[in-house]
Amino acid sequence: MKVIIAEDQGMLRGALKLLLDMEEDIEVVAQAENGEEALKLVRELNPDLCLLDIEMPKLTGLDVAERLKEEGHPCRVVILTTFSRTGYFQRALKAGVKGYLLKDSPVDELSAALRTIHQGERVVSTELSLSLWEAVAVNPLTEREQAVLRLVADGLAIHDIASKLYLSRGTVRNYVSEIMQKLGAKNRIEAINIAETNGWLV
């Protein structure tokens, strides 16, 4: 299988290439140091798999995955990450990512996961699955608070939210205050960001 590696840390990128090239059935055909370069290489070389770091310059790994999905590109995307944030994970699933793996996984586990993904299946690191499950389990917001915050995130004003949810304006303001207190947020934008990052905003 032909693979492209996109990782902004040169040493890690080089180490991954060396390790994967030792596998008989895996060929690293190109490397990218940012998301923009990765997207260009995938379009040009049409690899079977693309290994993407999440936080890269110009375009993130998730940005690249979303663009490839929009274009209907057949390359299977694998996220290599140190982050277990549920917001990232949910965004990756929506973008059609086929693998969500830890950067420090042993090379035999990584290569085995790539083979499974190449065959059309999806693989998520066990450690990431557990931490993501735990994060989702401790959502501090009630369903009504999530509904209010979602409408705030959609740009609705207090009076519009009150009308939509059949509540008084004062009740909506109380919900917003309670949400910010629970999330430790200084303002509404910060509350939205915290909730989305942790996957607490439905």
Side-chain angles (χ1 to χ4, degrees), residues 101-113:
L101 310 170
L102 283 171
K103 283 185 180 179
D104 59 359
S105 300
V107 70
D108 57 336
E109 285 184 17
L110 176 59
S111 55

Side-chain angles (χ1 to χ4, degrees), residues 78-184:
V78 180
I79 294 291
L80 280 179
T81 185
T82 54
F83 301 102
S84 59
R85 297 175 186 168
T86 53
Y88 281 164
F89 183 62
Q90 290 177 343
R91 189 177 162 197
L93 290 179
K94 287 178 184 175
V97 167
K98 299 301 181 185
Y100 203 81
L101 310 170
L102 283 171
K103 283 185 180 179
D104 59 359
S105 300
V107 70
D108 57 336
E109 285 184 17
L110 176 59
S111 55
L114 295 185
R115 291 184 186 100
T116 300
I117 292 162
H118 187 232
Q119 291 166 4
E121 297 181 44
R122 178 176 276 158
V123 179
V124 178
S125 163
T126 305
E127 293 90 340
L128 285 170
S129 297
L130 289 171
S131 60
L132 291 164
W133 179 264
E134 288 166 2
V136 171
V138 294
N139 185 347
L141 302 178
T142 64
E143 287 186 17
R144 178 49 65 93
E145 287 167 348
Q146 290 176 63
V148 169
L149 190 57
R150 169 48 63 200
L151 294 174
V152 172
D154 289 343
L156 271 68
I158 293 291
H159 65 273
D160 293 324
I161 296 171
S163 175
K164 196 172 185 69
L165 298 179
Y166 304 103
L167 299 169
S168 71
R169 296 181 189 184
T171 300
V172 173
R173 288 194 189 92
N174 288 340
Y175 273 125
V176 172
S177 296
E178 183 69 18
I179 289 165
M180 290 193 294
Q181 186 177 343
K182 282 185 176 182
L183 299 181

Side-chain angles (χ1 to χ4, degrees), residues 1 15 46 56 86 99 111 137 170:
M1 73 189 84
N46 293 311
M56 290 188 292
T86 53
S111 55

Side-chain angles (χ1 to χ4, degrees), residues 1-5 27-30 38-51 68 73-77 118:
M1 73 189 84
K2 294 181 178 180
V3 175
I4 285 176
I5 299 172
E27 178 190 1
V28 178
V29 294
L39 189 59
K40 181 173 177 285
L41 287 169
V42 170
R43 288 167 175 163
E44 288 176 359
L45 301 175
N46 293 311
D48 300 300
L49 301 175
C50 183
L51 273 61
L68 290 174
H73 200 286
C75 176
R76 292 186 171 95
V77 173
H118 187 232

Side-chain angles (χ1 to χ4, degrees), residues 1-13:
M1 73 189 84
K2 294 181 178 180
V3 175
I4 285 176
I5 299 172
E7 163 64 57
D8 60 334
Q9 295 180 35
M11 189 177 294
L12 178 55
R13 189 172 66 245

